[in-house]
Amino acid sequence: RESRTLPLGEDGQPEITIMVGGVDKVIYLPAMLTERLGGFERQGLRVKLLSEQSGANAETTLLSGDVHAVVGFYDHTIDLQAKDQCITSVVQLADVPGEVELVAANKADEIRSPADFRGRKLGVTSLGSSTDFLTRYLAGSAGLSTSDYTTVKVGAGQTFIAGMTNGGIDAGMTTDPTVAQLVNSGKAKIIADMRTEEGTRQALGGLYPASSVYMKCEIVERYPEVVQKLANAFVETLRWLKQHTPEEIADRMPPSFANAGRDLYVQSIRDSVGMFNGTGRMKPEGAQNVLNVLSQFSTNVKPKKDRIDLSRTYTTRFVDNVPAS
Amino acid sequence: MTEDPVIRLRGATKRFRSSSGGVHTAVHDLTMTVGRGEFVAVVGPTGCGKSTTLSLVSGLEPPSEGEAVVNGRPVTGIPDGVGYMFQADAILPWRTVLDNVATGPRYRGASKREARERARDWVRRVGLAGFEDYYPHQLSGGMRKRVAMAQTLVNEPSILLMDEPFSALDVQTRALMQDELLRLWSGTGAAVVFVTHDLEEAICLADRVLVMTASPATVKASFTVPLARPRDVERIRLSTEFLDVYREIWESLREEVEKTRERGGKRVA
Amino acid sequence: MTEDPVIRLRGATKRFRSSSGGVHTAVHDLTMTVGRGEFVAVVGPTGCGKSTTLSLVSGLEPPSEGEAVVNGRPVTGIPDGVGYMFQADAILPWRTVLDNVATGPRYRGASKREARERARDWVRRVGLAGFEDYYPHQLSGGMRKRVAMAQTLVNEPSILLMDEPFSALDVQTRALMQDELLRLWSGTGAAVVFVTHDLEEAICLADRVLVMTASPATVKASFTVPLARPRDVERIRLSTEFLDVYREIWESLREEVEKTRERGGKRVA
Amino acid sequence: MSREGLDVQEAVTDAPAATTTAAPARAPLPDTAAVQRQASAARRRRRAGMWALRLLLVVVWLGSWEAAATWWIDPFFYSKPSAIWHRLVEWFDIGTQFGSVWEQILITLEEAVLGFVIGAAAGVVLGVLLGRSRYLADVLAPFIKAANAVPRIVLASLFIIWFGFGLASKVATVVVLVFFAVFFNAFTGAREVDRNLLDNARILGASRLQVLGTIVLPSATSWILSSLHTAFGFALIGAVVGEYAGASKGLGLLISNAQGTFDSAGIYAGMIIITVVALVAEWLLTMLENRLLRWRPSASRSSAEVV
Amino acid sequence: MSREGLDVQEAVTDAPAATTTAAPARAPLPDTAAVQRQASAARRRRRAGMWALRLLLVVVWLGSWEAAATWWIDPFFYSKPSAIWHRLVEWFDIGTQFGSVWEQILITLEEAVLGFVIGAAAGVVLGVLLGRSRYLADVLAPFIKAANAVPRIVLASLFIIWFGFGLASKVATVVVLVFFAVFFNAFTGAREVDRNLLDNARILGASRLQVLGTIVLPSATSWILSSLHTAFGFALIGAVVGEYAGASKGLGLLISNAQGTFDSAGIYAGMIIITVVALVAEWLLTMLENRLLRWRPSASRSSAEVV
Ligand SMILES: Nc1ncnc2c1ncn2[C@@H]1O[C@H](COP(=O)(O)OP(=O)(O)OP(=O)(O)O)[C@@H](O)[C@H]1O
Ligand SMILES: Nc1ncnc2c1ncn2[C@@H]1O[C@H](COP(=O)(O)OP(=O)(O)OP(=O)(O)O)[C@@H](O)[C@H]1O
Ligand SMILES: [Mg+2]
Ligand SMILES: [Mg+2]
């Protein structure tokens, strides 16, 4: 396997495979939307989108060269630097996680804030995932230690909902459209909404940049012009998002994404679309905050927190060069 | 011998569905009787329907036509007092010799202690004292046959059906078992139907030898054996009376055997 | 008969490791010879070591001590010209009758066509013409034995070892096969070693009968059979010469049989 | 079957002999054709009744599910038969979001079949080799036991790391699942070869290689073939689990995608497709088995009585 | 074993008879004790050689892995033996991030054993029932075939939806995996009961229930027991896969967490623990099997020659 080069098609154009950490999640919506809007084609890129629910698996395939870019959470770039792997975020889609901490409706009276997490079962998509870190940070900020509560791996989508409704978990962190599904049906209430800047600052005391497009440092070095085209395509989509209504956005997405009902899907877009920053530019303050969180809760980062070089985990040089439309 | 018979088959016919979906008649219009205390040997060509005849008497299979009467009552289910030693090994491999012999009494409601006591007696009588705790696989073929015999006899059957019980044994062991059988049988007053391929064996043991026709089976002829009892099996088969009867029955049997032989590969092993 | 023998065992001993890890001597210091064209029957008590003796001659097992010489050469590997009919069924169940018989020639390098031609001839000679395309499971026990016989004879062995080839057959089929064997053997000039449990069979077939001792086996005595050839197996066994030889050999054999019997459950089936 | 073949034989050569069988005073043999007609009519009736019962079971089962999902339980979790049916119709009519459903099936099948062939071949070769070589088998036994105890499904995600996201990782998952199923049967088959057959072949003049080809392999065939049934089931599961762990196409992805989009009907529909594929493969394997094992007595010894 | 038992018998009753066997002119029977000593010395040497060879294999394998991971390949993907060893030591010394490693093992075992017991019991009961009832078996055959073809691993996530994240969903996964493995063997075992044994029991006076208890069940035992080996492997895999799909404790979670945190040594360490657990369980089952099947001739027919 070759992990240092991009495969070229017959016409010499690179063929790029992008792994999305759940192509149906609203927080990663720009990936599919760019494809549906023809953004990649306009840049002369041939792009294939793949989907992989587990973030860690997505990164592993990036490192092994099977895919060339990942749409996923920014915090993994730091995590991987702790493991001596260099990947860098080239387009930062959002400055906030887009995650929501939900609490089961019948427990809403007892659990009003993270301070009430003591002795509770807290759902996360997967252990070691960003939802895991964020959950621990929420609890930690409220003065709890990790032994005061249990985190349970519940995945996303249907299994999360099942966990929430049949008592498998008391509270849990997830994204849209799962949030919309639970809140609409009255099965859960929101106690921390990290889909907006305001909510995020309130919950985490700062920004937490999440959805991003990242690639291996080597590839970025070697193919700046390809990366530029990718950045162009994504930023174009981010701008498009700012100018269109949730209904218009939903119309552009594959119909199967609205399998559980179009109204629900539109609503989940409406709730979440504010998180996308429109520019693709990373805010240094946010990056620093992510490092703070990981330094406390990531087993990989904690011992190496002083050696992490944040400047290698993201770059704004491509989004800065995107022509104004 | 013919009045008040213990076993009577009248016009009994038995049909099986063959594996190809056709119908195979194993026994056709068979009539025979066995008197109280009589030892009848049944000989006939391979596959003619001897085992099927026994299964009709034992009640394991109902006749397709005709009737089987045992002790004056038509057979439905297993009649009381029937013992059956099968052609193949039928003792339980997972029970010791003693427990194997105790099986019958246990089934019939005896307490564990009582059943074992009776079993121990019979194990001794068939000459297996000392082997009570052996499992069947630790025994020779001849010893296993003795276990089967004890297992059958412990129920004190008044009718004893035996289907080529010794055919799997080597010649020497077989002679020994034949003696043993006569010794155990004498004085029990049980009626015996003894199926065999071996004409010599039939004559050595029986009061009367029935010759069966080629398939489908029916009784072809009946010969009375004029040898006095008690008999020493190893000696009498070299006597002239024996040879005379042998020749006579063999003439009758040979015809059927040849008929079967001519049909060639008919017997699907 | 003793000069230039085809088979000579000299002081041959064979030991096996028994299942318990001990050592079992199957054959001890055995010396015997078989001359060219001679038909020798071997009788002996169950489990004494008859089959082991054959395996020494055939080269399937090397002797632990002593030596086996065939055609003047010490046995290492399978000697040329040896044919062996096993005690158990050994024909290939996945080959038709014809292909089974053709197996030997094929192994020995004959072309498919040639092998089949020779096989077809032998299938006919053993009386199975018309059954060439049957699979073994479609044949009766007797027919399978014929296939085995053809399979062995098609290689035209000069030494024919037969290990109780007919003991699994019913009495009637057995008599038929014995006749068949004599017919096929006569004129081939092959030396035959025929192991059997059945003294009658031994006498009917052989020029000479060897009696083996109880385990471990060695030769106890050798008897010449004074019956003229060609023999009709079904008739001679009722003749007086036959009965005389029978009595004589039986006296010798009975001692060993009783010895084996006394040892009780020795034979682990 | 065999009996029929032999009956023909008999009819040609022995017709006169058969008629002399009946003793003069006996009732004539009844018209067997009539008895046989009766018997087969009874069989037909029995079979019809059986199918009716099966149909009833299916109707009751699906009906109560549909009813329960309509009125009592939440179809969001449990779906319902009509929804599953619609999803299937949609997939086959319009296609899935990853393309035609046939393409997904073909991709999964490609992985399963490729891995199956490789795994089965490796299993047979190694099984027969070790089955015939006592020493090698003794030396390797503890390793094989340990390897067999490894939770192989978990390997799927390791293979993605090792072999990447494409065909290779799925095939590898399938191979490890199939290999052991086949290996142990091939091993047993090769070791349990009838001693007599081996000796007989040696006496008849077979070389080592000839013994292997004409005795050991055919002997082991019925063992090996019987393992292939389980093995193909494993192959499908391996492919699906591999796709589940990460893929761009295939039935596993279809199911995992359905899970991500709250489409419980899609989960069931995907499972139904896999089940049908497995049943078809099973049927093909049975055909193959019957062809290769023509020499065995037919297994259906249904010798039930006629009356 | 059996031979020994019988030899004692012989020695007691027939010692005089044995001495008369040797013909006068023959060489005396050699000292069998000496021959036997020789034989067992040879056996010991052979065994020692075997262990040496095995050790060599392990050393070469681990050594080359370690070397490769140190100098050529990226241990990020492939880990290396020393790292795996450290992770194991850490887990057993300090514990995992979810608590003591023993607790994880116990939880997984609890799920596996509970599901195993339920699945095996259901498999035996239904297997024996259908095995003895031809009609029921005929009617249900297509359903069972279809159910068996369902990709059961995929059910794990359905069960989570149905039964939640606790014990129940894992146990359910284990049960469906174990059930079929046991069912088919119990079915075959019950159906293949020797006809003669059944007839014999009936003749000896057994009632239907007695036939079931004393003939059918013991007959099927060896079939059932042999299925339990595979079944327990399945049970462990089922528990792990169930935890993998969602859980708060257990070995599956340990592995999935290792995957989530790019800890390849942790993946291997988890797999090693599961493997060891499976081997121990296998050993226990073999003990049970040997106890229950005392009546069978010992399987090790290692009748190799002495010289
Ligand atoms: N349960 C059955 N189903 C179908 N056919 C049967 C059944 N039992 C016996 N037969 C057939 O009936 C015929 C007679 O069988 P039976 O066993 O009574 O003969 P036999 O005289 O005892 O033969 P053998 O001498 O070989 O013991 C055979 O052709 C056999 O195939
Ligand atoms: N390969 C072997 N390994 C261990 N023991 C063996 C082996 N072959 C034969 N024996 C033992 O050697 C003894 C003689 O066996 P053999 O088969 O030669 O006797 P036999 O006279 O042919 O018996 P039978 O009359 O039963 O055929 C028996 O006790 C047998 O258990
Ligand atoms: Mg019979
Ligand atoms: Mg022998």
Side-chain angles (χ1 to χ4, degrees), chain D:
Chain D
M1 188 184 76
S2 59
R3 182 179 287 278
E4 268 174 349
L6 292 164
D7 275 348
V8 172
Q9 184 70 20
E10 179 201 5
V12 173
T13 59
D14 309 311
T19 55
T20 61
T21 306
R26 278 202 287 161
L29 275 169
D31 180 6
T32 48
V35 176
Q36 205 154 330
R37 256 197 312 280
Q38 254 179 29
S40 59
R43 220 167 29 245
R44 260 199 308 281
R45 265 199 310 282
R46 188 163 169 276
R47 181 166 301 178
M50 210 143 74
W51 276 109
L53 194 55
R54 283 175 190 160
L55 196 70
L56 184 76
L57 278 175
V58 172
V59 167
V60 166
W61 170 47
L62 291 184
S64 54
W65 181 2
E66 182 79 30
T70 308
W71 292 298
W72 302 294
I73 60 178
D74 189 349
F76 179 78
F77 292 131
Y78 301 97
S79 192
K80 54 186 189 178
S82 57
I84 299 170
W85 177 248
H86 283 136
R87 182 57 26 87
L88 278 172
V89 168
E90 184 197 317
W91 280 355
F92 280 93
D93 259 16
I94 309 170
T96 70
Q97 79 180 86
F98 311 104
S100 144
V101 73
W102 291 110
E103 193 187 341
Q104 318 303 320
I105 296 177
L106 272 184
I107 295 233
T108 303
L109 262 184
E110 184 189 352
E111 295 157 0
V113 169
L114 205 63
F116 177 73
V117 169
I118 297 174
V124 167
V125 169
L126 248 99
V128 169
L129 206 75
L130 291 199
R132 294 316 301 162
S133 155
R134 211 182 173 83
Y135 189 70
L136 214 60
D138 280 351
V139 168
L140 296 184
F143 300 111
I144 291 168
K145 257 199 191 142
N148 186 39
V150 168
R152 282 190 286 287
I153 288 287
V154 178
L155 287 175
S157 37
L158 267 188
F159 285 147
I160 288 204
I161 298 179
W162 293 354
F163 300 121
F165 223 60
L167 190 65
S169 62
K170 279 82 184 174
V171 170
T173 310
V174 174
V175 166
V176 291
L177 283 173
V178 167
F179 173 81
F180 282 96
V182 175
F183 170 83
F184 283 106
N185 270 36
F187 178 74
T188 314
R191 212 183 37 183
E192 308 252 297
V193 175
D194 189 343
R195 183 73 198 256
N196 282 304
L197 291 183
L198 290 175
D199 284 348
N200 193 24
R202 283 178 63 199
I203 291 280
L204 291 175
S207 65
R208 271 185 86 87
L209 215 71
Q210 283 173 326
V211 168
L212 212 68
T214 60
I215 310 290
V216 177
L217 262 186
S219 280
T221 301
S222 57
W223 282 90
I224 293 171
L225 285 177
S226 86
S227 74
L228 294 190
H229 291 272
T230 341
F232 197 83
F234 283 160
L236 270 181
I237 289 177
V240 169
V241 168
E243 289 164 359
Y244 216 79
S248 56
K249 286 232 183 298
L251 293 170
L253 184 72
L254 219 54
I255 294 182
S256 107
N257 180 60
Q259 245 160 16
T261 56
F262 313 115
D263 178 15
S264 45
I267 304 180
Y268 289 96
M271 287 189 11
I272 288 173
I273 293 178
I274 297 172
T275 304
V276 170
V277 169
L279 286 175
V280 169
E282 166 81 22
W283 177 75
L284 286 176
L285 276 171
T286 307
M287 301 259 292
L288 174 78
E289 191 167 345
N290 285 343
R291 261 199 79 90
L292 282 179
L293 298 184
R294 253 173 326 175
W295 51 269
R296 280 203 310 198
S298 79
S300 75
R301 294 200 192 126
S302 63
S303 49
E305 298 165 31
V306 170
V307 166

Side-chain angles (χ1 to χ4, degrees), chain C residues 110-172:
Chain C
S111 75
K112 191 148 191 166
R113 242 195 74 246
E114 191 198 325
R116 288 208 159 179
E117 225 152 77
R118 282 170 59 193
R120 200 176 299 279
D121 180 38
W122 273 99
V123 169
R124 194 186 42 71
R125 284 209 230 173
V126 297
L128 288 179
F131 288 89
E132 283 87 351
D133 295 331
Y134 282 64
Y135 284 101
H137 79 91
Q138 298 172 310
L139 304 178
S140 69
M143 293 164 89
R144 279 203 294 270
K145 282 293 170 196
R146 286 167 205 237
V147 177
M149 215 191 281
Q151 196 183 47
T152 301
L153 293 177
V154 72
N155 279 337
E156 288 166 3
S158 60
I159 295 172
L160 186 53
L161 310 176
M162 306 183 83
D163 194 355
E164 307 191 28
F166 307 143
S167 67
L169 301 179
D170 64 86
V171 182
Q172 298 131 20

Side-chain angles (χ1 to χ4, degrees), chain A residues 150-226:
Chain A
T150 321
T151 48
V152 183
K153 173 181 174 175
V154 289
Q158 228 166 355
T159 51
F160 187 95
I161 295 176
M164 195 63 106
T165 48
N166 63 21
I169 52 175
D170 303 308
M173 187 176 292
T174 191
T175 60
D176 269 316
T178 310
V179 176
Q181 172 79 33
L182 276 166
V183 172
N184 273 17
S185 58
K187 287 172 183 154
K189 292 207 162 62
I190 296 173
I191 55 171
D193 187 347
M194 291 166 279
R195 290 176 294 191
T196 61
E197 191 171 329
E198 184 195 356
T200 307
R201 287 191 190 279
Q202 195 180 341
L204 303 174
L207 294 176
Y208 194 93
S211 284
S212 61
V213 181
Y214 47 75
M215 305 175 77
K216 285 189 79 161
C217 298
E218 279 172 296
I219 299 279
V220 175
E221 293 299 314
R222 195 182 269 210
Y223 301 96
E225 69 295 348
V226 175

Side-chain angles (χ1 to χ4, degrees), chain C residues 173-249:
Chain C
T173 315
R174 193 189 305 187
L176 188 77
M177 291 296 293
Q178 288 163 357
D179 267 339
E180 206 89 47
L181 170 64
L182 287 183
R183 189 172 58 73
L184 293 169
W185 168 68
S186 67
T188 60
V192 180
V193 182
F194 188 101
V195 166
T196 178
H197 268 124
D198 188 345
L199 189 47
E200 231 176 74
E201 185 174 64
I203 299 170
C204 285
L205 296 175
D207 297 320
R208 194 151 59 93
V209 176
L210 293 183
V211 177
M212 292 267 186
T213 60
S215 175
T218 198
V219 176
K220 181 184 183 183
S222 165
F223 298 87
T224 305
V225 178
L227 301 170
R229 294 191 190 271
R231 300 175 185 165
D232 174 344
V233 173
E234 279 180 19
R235 298 218 183 276
I236 57 169
R237 66 174 175 171
L238 301 177
S239 71
T240 44
E241 290 124 303
F242 176 90
L243 293 175
D244 290 342
V245 194
Y246 188 99
R247 253 183 286 257
E248 195 185 347
I249 305 181

Side-chain angles (χ1 to χ4, degrees), chain B residues 170, chain C residues 15-19 24-27 44-53 61 87 163-164 195 197 215 217 266-268, chain D residues 195, chain E residues 3 303-305:
Chain B
D170 63 87
Chain C
R15 284 188 289 268
F16 289 109
R17 187 186 302 163
S18 68
S19 51
H24 177 74
T25 308
V27 170
T46 275
C48 72
K50 301 183 293 298
S51 301
T52 306
T53 307
E61 303 271 7
Q87 192 163 1
D163 194 355
E164 307 191 28
V195 166
H197 268 124
S215 175
K266 176 91 204 203
R267 190 167 82 141
V268 179
Chain D
R195 183 73 198 256
Chain E
R3 181 180 289 278
S303 48
E305 299 164 32

Side-chain angles (χ1 to χ4, degrees), chain A residues 1 54-57 59-60 63-65 76 79-80 83 85 121 126-129 132-133 136 150-155 158-160 162-164 166 168-169 299-300, chain E residues 74-78 87 97-98 156-166 170 243-249 252-254 256-265:
Chain A
R1 272 176 308 163
S54 154
N57 276 359
E59 269 94 71
T60 309
L63 290 171
S64 64
H76 280 124
D79 206 0
L80 280 169
K83 284 256 166 189
Q85 307 288 332
K121 286 176 283 183
S126 171
L127 295 167
S129 68
D132 192 14
F133 300 144
R136 291 179 190 284
T150 321
T151 48
V152 183
K153 173 181 174 175
V154 289
Q158 228 166 355
T159 51
F160 187 95
M164 195 63 106
N166 63 21
I169 52 175
T299 43
N300 291 334
Chain E
D74 189 348
F76 179 80
F77 292 125
Y78 302 98
R87 182 56 29 87
Q97 81 181 87
F98 314 105
S157 41
L158 268 187
F159 285 144
I160 287 200
I161 297 178
W162 294 353
F163 301 122
F165 284 95
K170 278 83 182 177
E243 289 164 0
Y244 215 81
S248 57
K249 287 231 181 302
L253 188 73
L254 219 53
S256 120
N257 181 54
Q259 241 162 19
T261 55
F262 309 107
D263 177 16
S264 47

Side-chain angles (χ1 to χ4, degrees), chain B residues 14-19 24-27 44-55 61 87 163-164 195-197 215 217 266-268, chain C residues 170, chain D residues 3 302-305, chain E residues 195:
Chain B
K14 180 71 193 175
R15 284 189 287 269
F16 289 109
R17 186 185 304 163
S18 67
S19 50
H24 177 75
T25 308
V27 170
T46 276
C48 73
K50 301 183 295 297
S51 302
T52 306
T53 307
L54 289 194
S55 69
E61 303 269 9
Q87 192 163 1
D163 194 355
E164 307 191 26
V195 166
T196 177
H197 268 125
S215 173
K266 176 91 203 207
R267 189 168 79 143
V268 179
Chain C
D170 64 86
Chain D
R3 182 179 287 278
S302 63
S303 49
E305 298 165 31
Chain E
R195 182 74 196 255

Side-chain angles (χ1 to χ4, degrees), chain A residues 6-51:
Chain A
L6 291 175
L8 300 179
E10 279 163 16
D11 52 2
Q13 287 294 335
E15 295 181 330
I16 298 170
T17 311
I18 301 180
M19 178 68 78
V20 185
V23 78
D24 39 47
K25 290 182 187 161
V26 175
I27 53 170
Y28 300 139
L29 170 144
M32 181 53 88
L33 187 59
T34 307
E35 181 176 284
R36 305 284 291 190
L37 292 174
F40 297 125
E41 280 164 41
R42 271 194 298 281
Q43 296 294 333
L45 292 173
R46 234 160 320 157
V47 168
K48 194 163 91 179
L49 291 184
L50 298 181
S51 177

